[in-house]
């Protein structure tokens, strides 16, 4: 099979590798579409660690090519499928209570195991889900990032009628806004400094706070009457985001810590304590939230919005060019690679 391999920082190339061999309770997926995640780009740049040489990627859809299982009898060869891209131990306290995303034995596809930047990828059979042929397979590659948003909103405890502020208007930020609205928020705003993203947020139908023109304090006053937001989602991982999240939250509000900074950021703990704020950490997502994200896409209700997030599609054999584009270009949304393009 053809696979895109990173052997050193800032270098990725197609290589001929053997198709993975299956063990018991594993499935082989012929990849058709791949979503490019920011973490893939950071590993490529050397800003995040991985096991090198690395086959990156954890957002994908494809066709079920082979399966060795005595349990998943409903799956058929040729089914259009997606797969939850994480392996955990399955027996620790976190795993058995549905928080396997925090298992200290977790192995992330494309980081600790071979990822989906290849014509074939193998996954646990228990993680595979089929979805209807009439749904565009590009949307299958959007299930994983949507699952991040589903997990974050569920963890937030956001209630119908509450307000939400999202720091960072990248794909995860906008997917979070979609889920927040679906969960019944009365108002959602997204703070950004990137002009392209600000315009894109507004085209998507969401309220954008241009933090270059409108100070956060002014935005909080205008949008909440000075009270602050019930839930703040810090998606940026930026230094300024760590400062703004405390200022944007209302007294007794909740801050969701989602973005992963490359360095330690200071947080005003005194303000958090005095204002009774809840700080909630989020890491990827458990399988139940992945299935929920797939069910959202299968429902079709938000697929037009989700598909509009895909601003660029490329054939897989241009992977080296695509990685450089993702690093240098600041005017794109979600990038999808197609094996059949």
């Amino acid at each position: 099979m053809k696979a895109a391999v990173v052997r050193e920082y800032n270098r990725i190339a197609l290589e001929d590798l053997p198709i993975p061999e299956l063990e018991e309770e594993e499935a082989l997926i012929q990849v058709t579409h791949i979503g490019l995640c920011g973490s893939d780009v950071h590993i490529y740049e050397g800003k995040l660690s991985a096991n090198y040489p690395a086959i990156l990627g954890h957002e994908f859809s494809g066709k079920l090519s082979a399966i060795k299982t005595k349990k998943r009898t409903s799956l058929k060869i040729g089914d259009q499928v997606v797969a939850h891209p994480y392996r955990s131990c399955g027996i620790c306290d976190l795993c058995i209570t549905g928080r396997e995303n925090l298992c200290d034995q977790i192995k992330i596809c494309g980081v600790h195991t071979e990822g989906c930047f290849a014509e074939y990828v193998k996954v646990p059979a228990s993680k595979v889900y089929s979805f209807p042929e009439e749904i565009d397979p590009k949307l299958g590659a959007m299930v994983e990032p949507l699952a991040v948003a589903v997990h974050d909103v569920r963890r937030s405890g956001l209630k119908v009628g509450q307000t939400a502020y999202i720091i960072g208007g990248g794909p995860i930020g906008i997917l979070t806004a979609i889920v927040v609205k679906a969960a019944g928020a009365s108002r959602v705003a997204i703070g950004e400094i990137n002009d392209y993203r600000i315009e894109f947020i507004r085209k998507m139908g969401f309220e954008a706070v241009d933090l270059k023109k409108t100070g956060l304090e002014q935005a909080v006053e205008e949008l909440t009457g000075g009270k602050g937001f019930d839930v703040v989602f810090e998606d940026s991982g930026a230094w300024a985001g760590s400062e703004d999240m405390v200022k944007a939250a209302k007294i007794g509000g909740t801050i969701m810590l989602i973005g992963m900074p490359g360095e330690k950021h200071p947080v005003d703990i005194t303000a958090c304590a005095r204002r009774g704020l809840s700080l909630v950490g989020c890491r990827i997502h458990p399988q139940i939230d992945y299935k929920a994200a797939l069910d959202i896409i299968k429902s079709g209700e938000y697929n037009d919005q989700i598909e509009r997030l895909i601003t660029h599609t490329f054939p897989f054999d241009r992977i080296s060019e695509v990685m450089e584009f993702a690093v240098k270009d600041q005017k794109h949304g979600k990038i999808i690679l197609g094996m059949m393009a």
Side-chain angles (χ1 to χ4, degrees):
M1 69 174 185
K2 293 290 185 184
V5 183
V6 177
R7 293 192 177 273
E8 58 187 40
Y9 302 149
N10 296 312
R11 180 178 172 272
I12 188 168
L14 291 179
E15 298 183 11
D16 287 311
L17 297 176
I19 294 174
E21 295 185 5
L22 297 185
E23 299 179 13
E24 288 302 319
E25 297 304 324
E26 286 189 331
L28 185 69
I29 296 173
Q30 183 180 9
V31 178
T32 60
H33 292 83
I34 303 163
L36 184 63
C37 178
S39 63
D40 298 322
V41 178
H42 293 328
I43 292 171
Y44 167 76
E45 294 180 286
K47 294 179 180 178
L48 288 177
S49 62
N51 296 330
Y52 290 93
I55 301 176
L56 306 179
H58 56 274
E59 304 174 3
F60 63 94
S61 61
K63 299 285 187 178
L64 184 64
S65 178
I67 189 167
K68 294 180 71 172
T69 182
K70 297 177 182 177
K71 302 174 182 178
R72 300 302 303 278
T73 55
S74 62
L75 293 170
K76 302 184 297 296
I77 302 302
D79 279 352
Q80 182 164 263
V81 294
V82 293
H84 185 236
Y86 310 117
R87 298 173 183 247
S88 55
C89 75
I91 58 173
C92 69
D93 289 349
L94 291 162
C95 284
I96 64 176
T97 54
R99 304 193 70 189
E100 71 271 16
N101 55 309
L102 302 179
C103 174
D104 65 5
Q105 299 298 313
I106 197 164
K107 289 181 171 56
I108 299 173
C109 182
V111 179
H112 309 106
T113 63
E114 293 180 347
C116 65
F117 280 24
E119 291 181 308
Y120 293 89
V121 63
K122 74 171 183 175
V123 295
S126 62
K127 302 280 188 171
V128 180
Y129 295 95
S130 62
F131 67 104
E133 292 288 338
E134 58 266 26
I135 295 179
D136 190 326
K138 289 197 300 292
L139 287 169
M142 295 294 289
V143 174
E144 198 282 335
L146 180 61
V148 173
V150 169
H151 177 62
D152 298 343
V153 175
R154 283 184 165 186
R155 286 270 291 155
S156 76
L158 180 112
K159 296 179 175 60
V160 173
Q162 289 188 323
T163 58
Y165 180 63
I166 299 164
I167 301 173
I172 294 297
I174 294 177
L175 286 169
T176 300
I178 292 171
V179 178
V180 162
K181 288 296 287 185
S186 60
R187 188 161 209 167
V188 54
I190 306 174
E192 250 299 341
I193 59 172
N194 179 302
D195 289 336
Y196 172 84
R197 286 184 171 182
I198 290 166
E199 182 181 357
F200 191 79
I201 290 163
R202 290 170 178 161
K203 286 181 178 178
M204 290 289 292
F206 293 108
E207 202 158 20
V209 176
D210 185 345
L211 293 168
K212 301 189 308 303
K213 298 178 180 179
T214 304
L216 180 62
E217 291 80 2
Q218 180 184 341
V220 169
E221 181 64 37
E222 293 176 354
L223 298 177
T224 70
K227 293 180 180 179
F229 293 87
D230 293 292
V231 183
V232 175
F233 297 87
E234 204 307 285
D235 278 340
S236 72
W239 188 291
S242 296
E243 295 178 337
D244 285 357
M245 65 185 186
V246 177
K247 298 174 184 176
K250 70 183 294 184
I251 294 174
T254 298
I255 295 172
M256 304 304 296
L257 305 171
I258 301 159
M260 293 291 185
E263 57 184 351
K264 293 181 180 180
H265 290 175
V267 176
D268 190 343
I269 297 299
T270 301
C272 291
R274 285 179 175 171
R275 301 178 64 220
L277 303 180
S278 298
L279 274 65
V280 182
C282 293
R283 185 188 185 198
I284 49 179
H285 46 77
Q287 189 169 347
I288 188 65
D289 291 337
Y290 184 89
K291 182 179 183 300
L294 176 59
D295 288 343
I296 289 171
I297 285 178
K298 287 167 70 174
S299 78
E301 188 169 353
Y302 304 97
N303 286 359
D304 286 345
Q305 270 189 304
I306 295 170
E307 191 162 9
R308 285 169 62 195
L309 267 173
I310 303 170
T311 59
H312 292 75
T313 57
F314 296 93
F316 178 65
D317 60 10
R318 291 174 62 188
I319 182 64
S320 180
E321 174 189 341
V322 171
M323 295 302 282
E324 282 302 298
F325 170 78
V327 169
K328 297 175 181 177
D329 184 85
Q330 297 300 311
K331 297 181 179 181
H332 66 268
K334 195 66 180 178
I335 297 171
I336 298 290
L337 298 162
M339 288 292 184
M340 305 302 180

